[in-house]
Amino acid sequence: MLVIYHFFQKWRFTFLLAFIMLAFEYLTIFGILVLTPIDHTWLGATISNSSDTGVYINYINQASTSPLLQNLFAGPSHVARFDSFWILGGLLMKLGASPILSHEILRILTTIFLAFTIYITARSVTNSSRHTQITSWLILTGVSTGWLYTVYLTVTASWTFGSIVPADLGSEFALSSLLLGGAHMILSPALLMLNTRWIWQIITGSKFNLVIPWVFIAYHVSFHPYYIPIYGIVSLLAFFYNRKSKPVFNFLIINSAMLPGAIYYFYLILKDSKLREHHLVTNTLPLDPIWMWLIILLPIIIACIWIIQNKTSKHSDDKNWVWAWLASAIICIILPFPWNRKFTEALLPALTILTLPFWLHIYDNLKPKTDLILKISLIVLLSFPFLHLMQSQFALATDPAWNKYFYTSNQTIHAWNILKNESQESIIISTDMYTNLWTPAHAQKNVWIGHNHETPNFMQRFSEFNTWRKTSSAKIFNDFLKENKITHVLAHDKKYTELFNDNWQIIFQEDNISVWKKID
């Protein structure tokens, strides 16, 4: 007990950080649950990665029965893959947790891990306990002003669902939005912060036990291979930066950690044409336009100007690893890699660390003079991304155009339960696109179309899908089902009952929801 007491005493600030992060996550989720429409069920999604959560729940469900995961949005004929992260969710299901609860347990564990990573990172670039704590808060909140744009849209009543969401409020760039994303999205920036620092320090001569960094790097790229180029470039920069000696052994050992993941994903791409043409592999996630980045990075720009003018290195420890991380991310964005937005992950914390002299200078000079009102104002300013995300979540959860990402009718749940007991070779399509998105997670069967990043040739299929679901011609309706080898249809409107030919029989009906099965 004494050991546990000393452990909590040593890391009490980290646990406070974790508690606040978890409070933000679960106050938001509590609000979602409270806002659940009558006769509906929460699907497990939040404002970040909303459309992706169905994929995560699907993977967790699969991992509870097999270590190899199928892409149920791509049809049955493709190579199953091993995922080192979602297998953990499968283990939780084997212990009795539901898929959604398994995901939430993973989110709790990864959030606590992220809190420790933030504190350890802050401690590595500061010289006092108080500055470590302040830096931890700054890493978590980030120092950016993308919210100015959202305030402008609100004041001018010009916000639409197609409006740009600033990167510091809606992408991997900042930590705030990631906290409401998938569990692996919370873990990823933590590993990125740890691993880039370790790679730099190990190759530039610091004495480290190589085992833990090797395992952490190998584990990260096993489920997020996007960061192999980041780690590779950081290791090269570290190798050439070290002028006194060239630690070839450390360089080779660190890079060998990336080989298992690189070889495995290269094998999958070669072996599986569906994965090779996969939207997630070929898709270039868009970056915000330059003018938006100028708004987002306004505080960082001001801090950089101050640092240059004052030529200060005060409060600065060894931040060269952060410079290497930033340089590698920029290089990867410029190079013709897909998924370039992924390379911006956690760069707001990185930029905050690089401009620490400015933020700590403000803290040191204002602290003795700051009155309560100003302290509260500063806290609200830094907390704005979190407040904005909560407010936006509740607004979308009550908006009929968006709440289908978060809830579904109990009748649809009942239909999924029927489909779950059908043949494993089933290929399902629903007349509602949102239902297609969540069907693999709940029915655990293949769908013809669903998640846009998981469905091969999504745009072509989406066009065909819209033509099919809007048709009033029984011939067009049934020819589509035959050509695409659909075995089950989950219909959301009674008008479709008149379109099925004699090769189909109804196996479930409740209100407007019906399930149709093809007769062999």
Side-chain angles (χ1 to χ4, degrees), residues 430-500:
S430 171
T431 58
D432 175 73
M433 191 61 201
Y434 295 96
T435 302
N436 284 315
L437 191 66
W438 288 91
T439 294
H442 290 268
Q444 299 170 40
K445 298 292 187 296
N446 290 285
V447 289
W448 186 78
I449 188 172
H451 191 272
N452 61 334
H453 289 180
E454 300 282 327
T455 305
N457 304 315
F458 175 81
M459 293 310 297
Q460 178 184 336
R461 289 198 178 196
F462 187 63
S463 176
E464 294 175 16
F465 168 77
N466 276 331
T467 300
W468 169 73
R469 73 182 184 89
K470 293 177 181 178
T471 188
S472 56
S473 165
K475 184 179 187 311
I476 293 174
F477 185 84
N478 287 281
D479 284 350
F480 171 88
L481 298 176
K482 181 179 180 180
E483 289 169 10
N484 293 296
K485 301 179 181 180
I486 308 296
T487 62
H488 294 77
V489 177
L490 200 168
H492 278 258
D493 195 309
K494 288 183 179 178
K495 71 176 184 179
Y496 294 107
T497 60
E498 301 174 1
L499 298 178
F500 288 97

Side-chain angles (χ1 to χ4, degrees), residues 344-447:
T344 69
E345 180 169 285
L347 287 189
L348 182 57
L351 291 169
T352 302
I353 292 171
L354 291 176
T355 53
L356 265 181
F358 180 67
W359 311 120
L360 294 180
H361 173 78
I362 291 176
Y363 171 78
D364 290 340
N365 283 274
L366 288 182
K367 185 176 63 171
K369 310 167 190 176
T370 304
D371 59 22
L372 182 61
I373 294 176
L374 184 52
K375 284 183 178 179
I376 293 173
S377 299
L378 290 171
I379 291 171
V380 170
L381 187 66
L382 290 173
S383 302
F384 189 87
F386 301 92
L387 299 173
H388 172 79
L389 285 167
M390 289 185 74
Q391 178 273 329
S392 299
Q393 174 70 77
F394 301 150
L396 294 179
T398 54
D399 190 302
W402 275 85
N403 65 6
K404 291 181 180 179
Y405 279 111
F406 313 119
Y407 315 106
T408 196
S409 68
N410 291 338
Q411 292 87 348
T412 302
I413 297 288
H414 300 158
W416 281 332
N417 289 336
I418 295 295
L419 288 166
K420 189 187 297 184
N421 296 321
E422 291 297 300
S423 166
Q424 199 61 42
E425 288 73 36
S426 302
I427 299 178
I428 301 167
I429 192 170
S430 171
T431 58
D432 175 73
M433 191 61 201
Y434 295 96
T435 302
N436 284 315
L437 191 66
W438 288 91
T439 294
H442 290 268
Q444 299 170 40
K445 298 292 187 296
N446 290 285
V447 289

